[in-house]
Amino acid sequence: MKIVVQPLTAPAFAPFGDVIDAIGAYDKLINQGLCERHHDLAKLDFGVESGGRAGVSVFKAQALSLPYELELMERHPDGTQCFMPMTEHPFLVVVAPDIGATPGQPIAFLTAPGQGINFHCGTWHGVLTPLHAPGLFAVIDRIGPTANLEEHWFETPYTIIPD
Amino acid sequence: MKIVVQPLTAPAFAPFGDVIDAIGAYDKLINQGLCERHHDLAKLDFGVESGGRAGVSVFKAQALSLPYELELMERHPDGTQCFMPMTEHPFLVVVAPDIGATPGQPIAFLTAPGQGINFHCGTWHGVLTPLHAPGLFAVIDRIGPTANLEEHWFETPYTIIPD
């Protein structure tokens, strides 16, 4: 089955997580008036009650191109996972609703340059899929003692195609 | 007084904070072998005991050029502050040792492309100083009820010059 990529918007993404960008109005002007602060844009949860804490990591992923065969989705039940691109390139964000503990039909979003995202706890998502090298991301997620990972392999992969 | 910019290295920056990048060896290969995870690279502290928590914000700062007049330094006693560039451009990082609750002689670092930094609690630092537009950064810092800000204005500004 084919899935057409759609532009990432906060309302469309709301069931899955947060869109994080400096595109709208800023909250505060700081640093002698030279810097916009777009403040506290993600609902973070690091599962402190199960021994988790926040960590900052860097992911370096191989770039891929469309069409893309979506074979695998995963989710992290014990913590949110935030991806902030360290380049100005858009990237692909694939999510799916949870249907009885497996992913339902996936939805594929393309970010605008300068947009990051935060997956809420338990959101089914595809692996990190940059479309341009270097696929470099700052990742703010849970560091903790639980596995915090469920995977689902599709019997028949989906094909994600450009708009 | 003039201060010459030097390349950012982890050992030189260690008294002030963490250098965060994917330049060295990775910790784990994830996502079907297609993604390097450089894991948990910053010592984070959000001052939970004084009501703080982690937040992700986006800063959009005006780009400047060298020579740069350093008039002001600031520090955040109650939390760490992590800056991850959302572009591939280097940026300027100015820090100073604490000498009796005021900044001593500043040190100016230039990041390599793909490097971010994390200021430890109480590190004196200059305001955000990108050298290229857009000056876009993901910022992971303390969201909390305290002011968490001290500023120091120099009677005579320092001049930061290229190598």
Side-chain angles (χ1 to χ4, degrees):
Chain A
M1 187 177 163
K2 289 181 178 166
I3 293 169
V4 179
V5 171
Q6 56 184 274
L8 181 67
T9 67
F13 195 66
F16 309 103
D18 310 296
V19 176
I20 302 168
D21 62 40
I23 293 172
Y26 58 82
D27 297 283
K28 198 173 174 186
L29 210 53
I30 58 174
N31 292 356
Q32 305 171 267
L34 297 176
C35 183
E36 300 177 3
R37 182 174 177 123
H38 299 254
H39 183 72
D40 194 18
L41 302 174
K43 280 188 192 142
L44 302 175
D45 181 346
F46 303 108
V48 174
E49 62 288 346
S50 58
R53 62 172 173 81
V56 175
S57 300
V58 177
F59 283 17
K60 190 177 180 183
Q62 286 184 35
L64 57 92
S65 56
L66 298 178
Y68 167 67
E69 295 291 294
L70 178 72
E71 300 177 299
L72 166 68
M73 296 192 86
E74 58 179 41
R75 64 174 178 173
H76 310 295
D78 301 333
T80 53
Q81 193 172 42
C82 177
F83 291 88
M84 301 301 293
M86 295 178 70
T87 72
E88 294 173 65
H89 300 301
F91 64 103
L92 189 65
V93 179
V94 183
V95 291
D98 181 61
I99 308 289
T102 59
Q105 185 174 320
I107 305 169
F109 294 103
L110 187 67
T111 64
Q115 283 185 324
I117 57 98
N118 179 54
F119 294 126
H120 291 164
C121 294
T123 290
W124 288 109
H125 61 274
V127 301
L128 185 57
T129 42
L131 300 174
H132 303 264
L136 212 55
F137 293 80
V139 180
I140 303 98
D141 69 356
R142 180 182 196 270
I143 310 294
T146 60
N148 190 26
L149 176 66
E150 294 175 30
E151 290 185 335
H152 181 86
W153 293 82
F154 294 113
E155 283 187 28
T156 308
Y158 291 89
T159 304
I160 296 173
I161 60 173
D163 183 15
Chain B
M1 185 175 163
K2 289 180 178 165
I3 293 168
V4 179
V5 171
Q6 58 185 274
L8 181 67
T9 67
F13 196 65
F16 310 104
D18 309 296
V19 176
I20 302 169
D21 61 41
I23 293 173
Y26 58 82
D27 297 284
K28 200 173 172 186
L29 209 56
I30 58 173
N31 292 357
Q32 305 172 267
L34 298 176
C35 183
E36 300 177 4
R37 182 172 177 125
H38 298 254
H39 183 71
D40 194 20
L41 302 173
K43 280 188 192 144
L44 302 174
D45 181 346
F46 303 109
V48 175
E49 62 287 348
S50 58
R53 62 172 174 81
V56 175
S57 300
V58 178
F59 283 17
K60 190 178 180 183
Q62 285 182 36
L64 57 93
S65 55
L66 299 178
Y68 167 66
E69 296 289 295
L70 178 72
E71 300 176 301
L72 166 69
M73 296 192 86
E74 59 180 41
R75 62 176 180 173
H76 310 295
D78 301 334
T80 52
Q81 192 173 42
C82 177
F83 290 88
M84 300 301 293
M86 295 178 69
T87 71
E88 294 173 65
H89 299 301
F91 63 104
L92 189 66
V93 179
V94 184
V95 291
D98 180 61
I99 307 289
T102 59
Q105 185 174 319
I107 304 170
F109 294 103
L110 187 68
T111 63
Q115 283 185 323
I117 57 97
N118 179 54
F119 294 127
H120 291 164
C121 295
T123 290
W124 287 109
H125 61 274
V127 302
L128 186 56
T129 42
L131 300 174
H132 303 264
L136 211 57
F137 294 79
V139 180
I140 302 98
D141 69 356
R142 179 181 197 270
I143 310 296
T146 59
N148 190 25
L149 177 65
E150 293 174 32
E151 289 185 335
H152 180 87
W153 293 82
F154 294 112
E155 282 187 27
T156 308
Y158 292 88
T159 304
I160 296 171
I161 60 173
D163 184 15

